[in-house]
């Protein structure tokens, strides 16, 4: 993992830039490690939204993250490469716990963030027809108790029809 930056946020902060990060050539996924640096206790006040933003917006999606002192790794990606490899990692705290908002001196939530880009193994399955193979088998399996007859020959499922009586 490559260190991107540390941020300290409070209950009134909105969007905070963690730092710049560029994906490697042909990479479409970003793994982000988030470690809570302070306070040195279980963080039960809120969660945050984390995303990577290019000139074209949030091309890899947004992830809901929580504070963990030992850290947690999150995955951003939608299965296709972004239009731009250059971007920045952003964070927005969500103060859902009224206690964090209403206390006189609310604690600051400090997070250390590292990231690494990768290429996902997304795409089509080799040697499998594009239409209906995976879903069709599940549908036919659901019909077992319904008295519907079918046969699978050479990877193709066929419903055996008989005239109604």
């Amino acid at each position: 993992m490559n260190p991107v930056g540390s941020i300290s946020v409070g209950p009134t902060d909105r969007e905070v830039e963690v730092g710049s990060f560029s994906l490697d050539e042909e990479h479409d996924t970003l793994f982000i490690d988030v470690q809570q640096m302070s306070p040195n206790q279980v963080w039960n006040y809120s969660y945050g939204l984390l995303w990577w933003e290019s000139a074209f917006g949030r091309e890899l999606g947004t992830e809901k993250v929580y504070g963990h002192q030992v850290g947690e790794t999150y995955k951003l990606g939608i299965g296709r490469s972004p239009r731009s490899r250059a971007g920045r990692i952003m964070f927005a705290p969500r103060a859902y716990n009224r206690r964090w908002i209403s206390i006189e001196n609310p604690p600051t939530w400090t997070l250390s963030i590292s990231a690494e880009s990768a290429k996902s193994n997304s795409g089509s399955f080799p040697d499998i027809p594009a239409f209906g193979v995976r879903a069709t088998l599940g549908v036919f399996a659901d019909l077992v108790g319904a008295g519907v007859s079918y046969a699978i020959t050479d990877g193709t499922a066929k419903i055996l029809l008989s005239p109604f009586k």
Side-chain angles (χ1 to χ4, degrees), residues 19-164:
S20 298
F21 191 88
S22 294
L23 278 73
D24 290 340
E25 186 74 33
E26 296 185 20
H27 285 187
D28 60 1
T29 303
L30 192 57
F31 292 99
I32 301 178
D33 184 66
V34 178
Q35 183 177 9
Q36 178 178 308
M37 305 307 287
S38 73
N40 196 12
Q41 63 188 34
V42 174
W43 184 257
N44 56 6
Y45 290 111
S46 69
Y47 62 92
L49 299 177
L50 181 75
W51 66 92
W52 178 83
E53 183 175 274
S54 75
F56 297 98
R58 299 179 186 188
E59 292 191 89
L60 300 178
T62 302
E63 188 70 33
K64 189 176 189 179
V65 299
Y66 296 91
H68 298 284
Q69 292 170 313
V70 294
E72 185 170 352
T73 302
Y74 298 90
K75 178 182 173 185
L76 292 174
I78 60 168
R80 74 176 182 107
S81 296
R83 290 174 280 181
S84 173
R85 289 193 322 269
R88 58 191 183 155
I89 295 175
M90 301 291 293
F91 183 84
R94 293 293 190 242
Y96 69 81
N97 188 321
R98 190 169 164 80
R99 216 173 76 197
W100 193 32
I101 300 167
S102 62
I103 59 178
E104 191 169 320
N105 291 313
T108 301
W109 193 20
T110 303
L111 304 171
S112 175
I113 298 173
S114 302
E116 184 175 318
S117 70
K119 184 173 181 172
S120 70
N121 292 329
S122 63
S124 61
F125 293 97
D127 302 324
I128 295 178
F131 176 72
V133 173
R134 296 175 67 81
T136 305
L137 292 176
V139 171
F140 284 144
D142 292 341
L143 295 175
V144 170
V148 176
S149 299
Y150 62 93
I152 299 175
T153 308
D154 296 325
T156 302
K158 299 178 183 179
I159 296 176
L160 304 176
L161 299 175
S162 59
F164 288 103

